[in-house]
Amino acid sequence: MRKETSALLSAELREGGGGRQTVIVRLPPARVTRSSPDSRAQVPMRSQTRQRQRRKLKKVAEQAQRPVESFVNRRDGVEITNQLWLANAVVLRVDTDRVPLDSVAQIQGVRQIHENIEVKIAGRTRDEETRATEDTSPTDHGKHTYGLEQIHVPDVWDEHETKGEGTRIAVLDTGIDNDHQDLELYTNDESDPTYPGGWAEIDSNGNVVGGSEPHDTGEHGTHVSGTVAGGDEGGEHIGVSPETELMHGLVLPGGSGSFAQIIGGMEWAVAEDADVINMSLAVIGYASSFVEPIRNALSAGTLPVSAIANDGEGTSGSPGNLYDGLAVGASNESEDIWNGSSGELIDTDTDWGHNAPADWPDEYIVPDVAAPGQIVLSSIPGDGYQYYTGTSMAAPHVAGVVGLLLAAADEPTPQQLVNALEDTAWKPDWWDEDEAEWARDGKDSRYGTGIVDAKAAADQVTEPVSNELTFDAQEPDEGIVIATDMTTAQESTVVLTYADDGSEYVSGYNPDADNLETESVEVELEDATDFPGEHTAWLFDDDDLPDDLDIGDDLSDYADDALDSETSDVTAGDTAVDVSVDSMAVGEEAEITITAENVDQVIVRKLWTDWDVSDVDEDGASTDPRVGDDGKYEFEWDSKQALVTPTLTVEPPEGIYKSGEYELRVTGVSPADDDETVTVLEITE
């Protein structure tokens, strides 16, 4: 069947002319992480899980892209110039006069075709930046730039005894002067098999350029790299994380590049085990083409840090304005926000439409945090130094701080690092959120959650934590059981189970027990009244549970992997059994409905054996009735597995029973006590 293709083409392509064009063909994204209210990935950074996630992304892309390969191999006028796995996309060069894009859209699996959009640096020229006013003139900070002091970087160096060693940060920018006295990529040695190691030049199609050597096509990339990892050879410390393994991908030659170029650079950085990717670049507006690669980078344990853009409040740029990203605004030496720093309230439905992932909130504010970005001193080519301004200068401060946190902490996830940055960010005492256009829950469109505090964030991620929980006997309150006194450094899940015949059946779970400050976790049972009795609460690292965990699953095979567990009673409230029955007439059917609360079993007694009993609710019922001691039928329901409103239909035969009253007994059996209801069935003529 021929599919409708007009919706698959971007507006620019639908309105464009013919001729040769480079287009990006998007295939279905990989599902690599469990969905969560917070979509930042749960993969620990620098863990073996990252390699598995990369392999999965590559495998999904390889399989999904085969129909495109077959299409191209059978036609002239179209060629594949690159195949990307971080975005599951194929870069095509198409002569649209010979191969219409509508025909490309017919390929199996194609979900979108868009142009190879232009992306630019999120910074200003240095001439503009050095026009200092009386209020914003740079001052002498001796051994450190004001930026390092404002975010308390020297305190981390001293008290946590780290400058980012053992971490790897990739800068995607205009290039780098690797001969600068304050800069060094993680390998300079030409005899090293990995040379140039920390360097890659990416062409407009996203391919790594063979034989390229480190160079800067401007000054921007060298400046940004200096803020991330520069030294103090010039007499002043300029870099936040000077002992990190610095990488640089040239993706913005002369200050601008393409979508494929940026994704190719991200892909290279993820493949080379970068812990952080700094992207001081932006497309103004809402470029949904970045959603998948940003989420996939996170799923592989790499945290993208992006500038929010430089068009002032009421605007933002991609990829910084994605909910999943970490967007950075620019502060100045006075702890105010530079007036060019972007920020806004984003309405997910209006601004992103159907391109927004389902786990994004209805609205959110950007930036997430702020960092020094106005009149920032850093390196430029030729062993020089210069003041630049822009959110381009703010983002590398945060990328460097992430490097410090990684070096100080033990296997954190991207979300834990973001939590630490946002939890400890601060705003000046004189700041009034009413001065911002938008503010929600401590986050506003100027500061975000505030200026980052490297020392406080490092203190948070290195706090001693325990993987323990306490589960006390309690009565469910509207189906909620609470596990208390639990703190964990992992992205964790609390699971409740009930035991039966050696198995542990899942009765409820909460997959979001993943905050360092968690003191209690609520777990909702499938139906609390069905599960009184002994339960076990388990604490698991998310990586040790199946992605498709569900109610009723047997947890026995995973019990040995639990971080902690404790067994206690979930006590029910008072038992209650209610019986309702339609009025009965001899020879006619009547339905009996039983509502039971806080019981393990429901037993119906004294049904006459010559009555026609039908339509028994069989879920959990003994469908073959037994004859009780009184010679009458009995039915039984195990309410741990059945509905709490079992039903059955009865019909007294004609000619035997007369009108009158007949007794029916319904008993609810519970660990606490039994509740028996005697119901009088009235048979009419």
Short mmCIF file of all heavy atoms in Angstrom, two decimals, residues 498 528-535 570-573 575-577 596-603 620 636-644 667-675:
data_model
loop_
_atom_site.label_atom_id
_atom_site.label_comp_id
_atom_site.label_asym_id
_atom_site.label_seq_id
_atom_site.Cartn_x
_atom_site.Cartn_y
_atom_site.Cartn_z
N TYR A 498 4.61 -10.49 47.21
CA TYR A 498 4.04 -11.40 48.20
C TYR A 498 4.47 -12.80 47.81
O TYR A 498 4.61 -13.14 46.62
CB TYR A 498 2.51 -11.30 48.26
CG TYR A 498 1.80 -11.70 47.01
CD1 TYR A 498 1.36 -13.01 46.83
CD2 TYR A 498 1.55 -10.77 46.00
CE1 TYR A 498 0.70 -13.38 45.67
CE2 TYR A 498 0.89 -11.14 44.84
CZ TYR A 498 0.47 -12.44 44.67
OH TYR A 498 -0.18 -12.81 43.52
N ALA A 528 -4.85 -2.67 46.70
CA ALA A 528 -4.35 -2.94 48.04
C ALA A 528 -5.25 -3.90 48.81
O ALA A 528 -4.79 -4.69 49.62
CB ALA A 528 -4.20 -1.63 48.81
N THR A 529 -6.53 -3.83 48.57
CA THR A 529 -7.43 -4.69 49.33
C THR A 529 -7.28 -6.15 48.94
O THR A 529 -7.77 -7.03 49.63
CB THR A 529 -8.89 -4.25 49.12
OG1 THR A 529 -9.19 -4.30 47.73
CG2 THR A 529 -9.10 -2.85 49.64
N ASP A 530 -6.62 -6.42 47.82
CA ASP A 530 -6.41 -7.81 47.41
C ASP A 530 -5.17 -8.42 48.03
O ASP A 530 -4.95 -9.62 47.90
CB ASP A 530 -6.25 -7.89 45.89
CG ASP A 530 -7.59 -7.79 45.19
OD1 ASP A 530 -8.60 -7.89 45.89
OD2 ASP A 530 -7.61 -7.61 43.98
N PHE A 531 -4.33 -7.62 48.66
CA PHE A 531 -3.02 -8.14 49.04
C PHE A 531 -2.68 -7.93 50.51
O PHE A 531 -1.61 -7.45 50.84
CB PHE A 531 -1.94 -7.48 48.18
CG PHE A 531 -2.06 -7.81 46.73
CD1 PHE A 531 -2.64 -6.92 45.86
CD2 PHE A 531 -1.60 -9.01 46.25
CE1 PHE A 531 -2.76 -7.23 44.52
CE2 PHE A 531 -1.71 -9.32 44.91
CZ PHE A 531 -2.29 -8.44 44.03
N PRO A 532 -3.57 -8.23 51.44
CA PRO A 532 -3.15 -8.19 52.84
C PRO A 532 -2.22 -9.35 53.12
O PRO A 532 -2.19 -10.33 52.39
CB PRO A 532 -4.47 -8.32 53.60
CG PRO A 532 -5.33 -9.13 52.68
CD PRO A 532 -4.95 -8.68 51.29
N GLY A 533 -1.44 -9.22 54.17
CA GLY A 533 -0.55 -10.31 54.54
C GLY A 533 0.90 -9.90 54.43
O GLY A 533 1.25 -8.73 54.39
N GLU A 534 1.76 -10.89 54.38
CA GLU A 534 3.21 -10.66 54.41
C GLU A 534 3.74 -10.27 53.03
O GLU A 534 3.52 -10.96 52.05
CB GLU A 534 3.91 -11.93 54.90
CG GLU A 534 5.37 -11.74 55.20
CD GLU A 534 5.99 -12.98 55.81
OE1 GLU A 534 6.39 -13.88 55.03
OE2 GLU A 534 6.05 -13.06 57.05
N HIS A 535 4.42 -9.14 52.98
CA HIS A 535 5.05 -8.67 51.76
C HIS A 535 6.53 -8.44 52.01
O HIS A 535 6.96 -8.23 53.14
CB HIS A 535 4.44 -7.34 51.30
CG HIS A 535 3.13 -7.48 50.59
ND1 HIS A 535 2.02 -8.00 51.19
CD2 HIS A 535 2.77 -7.15 49.33
CE1 HIS A 535 1.01 -7.99 50.33
NE2 HIS A 535 1.44 -7.48 49.20
N VAL A 570 1.58 -6.28 55.52
CA VAL A 570 0.66 -5.24 55.07
C VAL A 570 -0.69 -5.64 55.65
O VAL A 570 -1.30 -6.61 55.20
CB VAL A 570 0.60 -5.16 53.54
CG1 VAL A 570 -0.44 -4.13 53.11
CG2 VAL A 570 1.96 -4.82 52.97
N THR A 571 -1.09 -4.95 56.69
CA THR A 571 -2.32 -5.34 57.37
C THR A 571 -3.51 -4.69 56.71
O THR A 571 -3.45 -3.54 56.27
CB THR A 571 -2.27 -4.91 58.85
OG1 THR A 571 -2.12 -3.50 58.92
CG2 THR A 571 -1.12 -5.60 59.55
N ALA A 572 -4.55 -5.43 56.63
CA ALA A 572 -5.78 -4.89 56.05
C ALA A 572 -6.58 -4.17 57.12
O ALA A 572 -6.37 -4.33 58.32
CB ALA A 572 -6.61 -6.02 55.45
N GLY A 573 -7.53 -3.40 56.69
CA GLY A 573 -8.47 -2.80 57.62
C GLY A 573 -9.50 -3.84 58.01
O GLY A 573 -9.33 -5.04 57.83
N THR A 575 -12.47 -6.32 57.89
CA THR A 575 -13.04 -7.05 56.77
C THR A 575 -14.50 -6.64 56.57
O THR A 575 -15.20 -6.28 57.53
CB THR A 575 -12.96 -8.57 57.01
OG1 THR A 575 -13.67 -8.88 58.20
CG2 THR A 575 -11.52 -9.00 57.14
N ALA A 576 -14.93 -6.71 55.36
CA ALA A 576 -16.32 -6.37 55.05
C ALA A 576 -16.75 -7.18 53.85
O ALA A 576 -16.02 -7.30 52.87
CB ALA A 576 -16.45 -4.88 54.77
N VAL A 577 -17.92 -7.73 53.94
CA VAL A 577 -18.50 -8.49 52.84
C VAL A 577 -19.93 -8.02 52.63
O VAL A 577 -20.72 -7.96 53.58
CB VAL A 577 -18.48 -10.01 53.12
CG1 VAL A 577 -19.13 -10.76 51.97
CG2 VAL A 577 -17.06 -10.49 53.33
N ALA A 596 -16.17 -7.74 48.50
CA ALA A 596 -15.42 -8.11 49.69
C ALA A 596 -14.22 -7.18 49.84
O ALA A 596 -13.57 -6.83 48.85
CB ALA A 596 -14.95 -9.56 49.58
N GLU A 597 -13.91 -6.79 51.07
CA GLU A 597 -12.78 -5.91 51.34
C GLU A 597 -11.87 -6.55 52.38
O GLU A 597 -12.33 -7.08 53.39
CB GLU A 597 -13.26 -4.54 51.84
CG GLU A 597 -14.06 -3.76 50.82
CD GLU A 597 -14.48 -2.40 51.35
OE1 GLU A 597 -14.11 -2.08 52.50
OE2 GLU A 597 -15.17 -1.67 50.63
N ASN A 598 -10.56 -6.48 52.12
CA ASN A 598 -9.54 -6.90 53.08
C ASN A 598 -9.67 -8.36 53.48
O ASN A 598 -9.57 -8.72 54.66
CB ASN A 598 -9.58 -6.01 54.32
CG ASN A 598 -9.36 -4.55 53.99
OD1 ASN A 598 -8.58 -4.23 53.09
ND2 ASN A 598 -10.04 -3.66 54.68
N VAL A 599 -9.89 -9.21 52.50
CA VAL A 599 -9.98 -10.64 52.77
C VAL A 599 -9.08 -11.40 51.80
O VAL A 599 -8.73 -10.91 50.73
CB VAL A 599 -11.44 -11.15 52.62
CG1 VAL A 599 -12.34 -10.46 53.63
CG2 VAL A 599 -11.94 -10.96 51.20
N ASP A 600 -8.69 -12.60 52.21
CA ASP A 600 -7.90 -13.48 51.34
C ASP A 600 -8.81 -14.34 50.46
O ASP A 600 -8.46 -14.66 49.33
CB ASP A 600 -7.03 -14.41 52.18
CG ASP A 600 -5.82 -13.70 52.76
OD1 ASP A 600 -5.55 -12.56 52.33
OD2 ASP A 600 -5.15 -14.27 53.64
N GLN A 601 -9.93 -14.74 51.02
CA GLN A 601 -10.82 -15.65 50.30
C GLN A 601 -12.27 -15.22 50.47
O GLN A 601 -12.63 -14.59 51.48
CB GLN A 601 -10.68 -17.08 50.83
CG GLN A 601 -9.34 -17.74 50.53
CD GLN A 601 -9.27 -19.09 51.20
OE1 GLN A 601 -9.42 -19.21 52.41
NE2 GLN A 601 -9.06 -20.12 50.41
N VAL A 602 -13.05 -15.58 49.47
CA VAL A 602 -14.50 -15.41 49.56
C VAL A 602 -15.12 -16.79 49.35
O VAL A 602 -14.82 -17.47 48.37
CB VAL A 602 -15.03 -14.43 48.48
CG1 VAL A 602 -16.56 -14.41 48.51
CG2 VAL A 602 -14.47 -13.04 48.71
N ILE A 603 -15.96 -17.21 50.29
CA ILE A 603 -16.61 -18.52 50.20
C ILE A 603 -18.12 -18.31 50.21
O ILE A 603 -18.67 -17.63 51.09
CB ILE A 603 -16.21 -19.43 51.37
CG1 ILE A 603 -14.68 -19.63 51.39
CG2 ILE A 603 -16.92 -20.78 51.26
CD1 ILE A 603 -14.20 -20.40 52.59
N GLY A 620 -9.88 -16.82 39.44
CA GLY A 620 -9.56 -17.11 40.83
C GLY A 620 -10.59 -17.95 41.54
O GLY A 620 -10.46 -18.22 42.73
N GLU A 636 -15.68 -20.95 45.96
CA GLU A 636 -14.62 -20.24 46.68
C GLU A 636 -13.78 -19.40 45.70
O GLU A 636 -13.47 -19.84 44.60
CB GLU A 636 -13.72 -21.26 47.39
CG GLU A 636 -12.57 -20.64 48.17
CD GLU A 636 -11.73 -21.70 48.85
OE1 GLU A 636 -12.33 -22.67 49.40
OE2 GLU A 636 -10.50 -21.59 48.83
N TRP A 637 -13.46 -18.19 46.12
CA TRP A 637 -12.57 -17.31 45.35
C TRP A 637 -11.33 -17.00 46.18
O TRP A 637 -11.44 -16.67 47.37
CB TRP A 637 -13.26 -15.98 45.01
CG TRP A 637 -14.24 -16.06 43.90
CD1 TRP A 637 -14.04 -15.76 42.59
CD2 TRP A 637 -15.61 -16.45 44.00
NE1 TRP A 637 -15.19 -15.95 41.87
CE2 TRP A 637 -16.18 -16.37 42.71
CE3 TRP A 637 -16.43 -16.88 45.06
CZ2 TRP A 637 -17.50 -16.69 42.45
CZ3 TRP A 637 -17.74 -17.20 44.80
CH2 TRP A 637 -18.27 -17.10 43.50
N ASP A 638 -10.17 -17.08 45.55
CA ASP A 638 -8.93 -16.59 46.17
C ASP A 638 -8.76 -15.14 45.74
O ASP A 638 -8.42 -14.85 44.60
CB ASP A 638 -7.74 -17.43 45.68
CG ASP A 638 -6.42 -16.97 46.30
OD1 ASP A 638 -6.42 -15.91 46.94
OD2 ASP A 638 -5.41 -17.67 46.13
N SER A 639 -9.01 -14.21 46.64
CA SER A 639 -9.07 -12.81 46.24
C SER A 639 -7.70 -12.18 46.06
O SER A 639 -7.58 -11.02 45.72
CB SER A 639 -9.88 -11.99 47.25
OG SER A 639 -9.25 -12.03 48.52
N LYS A 640 -6.62 -12.94 46.31
CA LYS A 640 -5.31 -12.42 45.95
C LYS A 640 -5.12 -12.43 44.43
O LYS A 640 -4.29 -11.73 43.90
CB LYS A 640 -4.20 -13.26 46.58
CG LYS A 640 -3.96 -12.96 48.05
CD LYS A 640 -2.75 -13.73 48.54
CE LYS A 640 -2.46 -13.38 50.00
NZ LYS A 640 -1.29 -14.11 50.50
N GLN A 641 -5.88 -13.28 43.77
CA GLN A 641 -5.71 -13.39 42.32
C GLN A 641 -6.96 -12.99 41.56
O GLN A 641 -6.93 -12.90 40.34
CB GLN A 641 -5.35 -14.84 41.96
CG GLN A 641 -4.05 -15.30 42.59
CD GLN A 641 -3.80 -16.76 42.32
OE1 GLN A 641 -4.46 -17.37 41.50
NE2 GLN A 641 -2.82 -17.34 43.02
N ALA A 642 -8.07 -12.78 42.26
CA ALA A 642 -9.33 -12.51 41.58
C ALA A 642 -9.79 -11.09 41.83
O ALA A 642 -9.22 -10.35 42.60
CB ALA A 642 -10.39 -13.49 42.06
N LEU A 643 -10.84 -10.73 41.15
CA LEU A 643 -11.50 -9.46 41.44
C LEU A 643 -12.11 -9.51 42.83
O LEU A 643 -12.36 -10.57 43.38
CB LEU A 643 -12.62 -9.22 40.40
CG LEU A 643 -12.19 -9.15 38.94
CD1 LEU A 643 -13.41 -9.12 38.05
CD2 LEU A 643 -11.34 -7.93 38.71
N VAL A 644 -12.36 -8.35 43.39
CA VAL A 644 -12.99 -8.33 44.71
C VAL A 644 -14.50 -8.26 44.59
O VAL A 644 -15.19 -8.08 45.57
CB VAL A 644 -12.47 -7.14 45.55
CG1 VAL A 644 -11.04 -7.37 45.95
CG2 VAL A 644 -12.65 -5.84 44.83
N THR A 667 -18.87 -15.82 53.23
CA THR A 667 -17.84 -15.58 54.23
C THR A 667 -16.59 -14.99 53.59
O THR A 667 -16.12 -15.50 52.57
CB THR A 667 -17.46 -16.88 54.96
OG1 THR A 667 -18.64 -17.47 55.51
CG2 THR A 667 -16.44 -16.61 56.06
N GLY A 668 -16.06 -13.93 54.19
CA GLY A 668 -14.76 -13.40 53.79
C GLY A 668 -13.72 -13.84 54.79
O GLY A 668 -13.85 -13.53 55.99
N VAL A 669 -12.70 -14.55 54.35
CA VAL A 669 -11.68 -15.10 55.24
C VAL A 669 -10.45 -14.22 55.17
O VAL A 669 -9.93 -13.94 54.08
CB VAL A 669 -11.31 -16.54 54.83
CG1 VAL A 669 -10.26 -17.11 55.79
CG2 VAL A 669 -12.56 -17.42 54.82
N SER A 670 -9.94 -13.76 56.33
CA SER A 670 -8.76 -12.91 56.36
C SER A 670 -7.84 -13.35 57.47
O SER A 670 -8.27 -14.07 58.38
CB SER A 670 -9.16 -11.44 56.56
OG SER A 670 -9.50 -11.22 57.91
N PRO A 671 -6.55 -12.91 57.43
CA PRO A 671 -5.63 -13.26 58.53
C PRO A 671 -6.10 -12.69 59.86
O PRO A 671 -5.80 -13.24 60.91
CB PRO A 671 -4.30 -12.63 58.10
CG PRO A 671 -4.42 -12.45 56.62
CD PRO A 671 -5.86 -12.18 56.37
N ALA A 672 -6.80 -11.56 59.82
CA ALA A 672 -7.21 -10.91 61.07
C ALA A 672 -8.47 -11.56 61.65
O ALA A 672 -8.50 -12.01 62.79
CB ALA A 672 -7.44 -9.43 60.82
N ASP A 673 -9.52 -11.60 60.89
CA ASP A 673 -10.76 -12.20 61.35
C ASP A 673 -11.61 -12.53 60.14
O ASP A 673 -11.33 -12.12 59.03
CB ASP A 673 -11.51 -11.27 62.31
CG ASP A 673 -11.72 -9.88 61.71
OD1 ASP A 673 -12.36 -9.79 60.63
OD2 ASP A 673 -11.22 -8.90 62.28
N ASP A 674 -12.65 -13.30 60.38
CA ASP A 674 -13.56 -13.67 59.30
C ASP A 674 -14.82 -12.82 59.41
O ASP A 674 -15.25 -12.44 60.50
CB ASP A 674 -13.94 -15.15 59.39
CG ASP A 674 -12.73 -16.06 59.16
OD1 ASP A 674 -11.70 -15.52 58.70
OD2 ASP A 674 -12.83 -17.26 59.45
N ASP A 675 -15.39 -12.54 58.29
CA ASP A 675 -16.61 -11.74 58.26
C ASP A 675 -17.63 -12.53 57.46
O ASP A 675 -17.45 -12.77 56.27
CB ASP A 675 -16.34 -10.39 57.60
CG ASP A 675 -17.51 -9.42 57.81
OD1 ASP A 675 -18.65 -9.88 57.77
OD2 ASP A 675 -17.24 -8.22 57.99
#
